[in-house]
Amino acid sequence: MYAVFIRSEALTDMKEARDWYDSQSIGLGDRFYEALTLAFARIAETPYIFPTVQGGIHRSLIRRYPYALFFEIDAQNIYILACAHTRRDPRHRPH
C-alpha cells in the first residue's frame, strides 16, 4: 500500500467543496468527505487502475459527486495534486 500525501491546494479545494455541500444540506459535506476517504483508500491500494490524463498524472472520479482527484505516483507514495469539479472549466478559480 502506498502512503498518500495531499497538497495544501488540494486540501483547500476539498474544504471549499465540503463547505458548499454543507450550505446546501446539513451533513452533505460529511458525506462528501466520506466519499473522498473511500477514494483515498482505493488510490492507496491500487493507484495504477486509474487512467493517466496528462503526463504522469492520474485521475480518480469521486463516487456520487462531480469531483475528481488528480494525483502522481512515485515508488512508495501518492501525491494528491488537486480535487476538481468535473463540470467546470478547469481555468475557473473562484479566488
Side-chain angles (χ1 to χ4, degrees):
M1 183 171 300
Y2 291 77
V4 176
F5 298 93
I6 306 170
R7 284 183 43 187
S8 62
E9 296 87 354
L11 285 172
T12 299
D13 294 342
M14 291 175 217
K15 183 182 179 330
E16 288 174 357
R18 180 185 185 170
D19 291 347
W20 186 85
Y21 280 117
D22 271 340
S23 75
Q24 302 304 301
S25 176
I26 299 300
L28 190 55
D30 290 337
R31 289 192 293 279
F32 174 69
Y33 262 30
E34 289 169 8
L36 286 174
T37 300
L38 290 173
F40 294 144
R42 288 188 67 218
I43 291 168
E45 290 175 13
T46 54
Y48 289 102
I49 67 168
F50 298 97
T52 303
V53 293
Q54 180 181 0
I57 298 174
H58 295 260
R59 181 193 70 210
S60 170
L61 298 175
I62 306 303
R63 291 182 182 164
R64 294 188 295 268
Y65 294 91
Y67 280 84
L69 295 172
F70 294 88
F71 63 94
E72 292 180 315
I73 308 165
D74 74 11
Q76 300 174 348
N77 302 307
I78 303 291
Y79 300 95
I80 305 293
L81 307 174
C83 177
H85 195 288
T86 58
R87 297 184 188 145
R88 282 193 200 137
D89 183 335
R91 296 168 296 193
H92 175 264
R93 291 296 297 180
H95 307 290

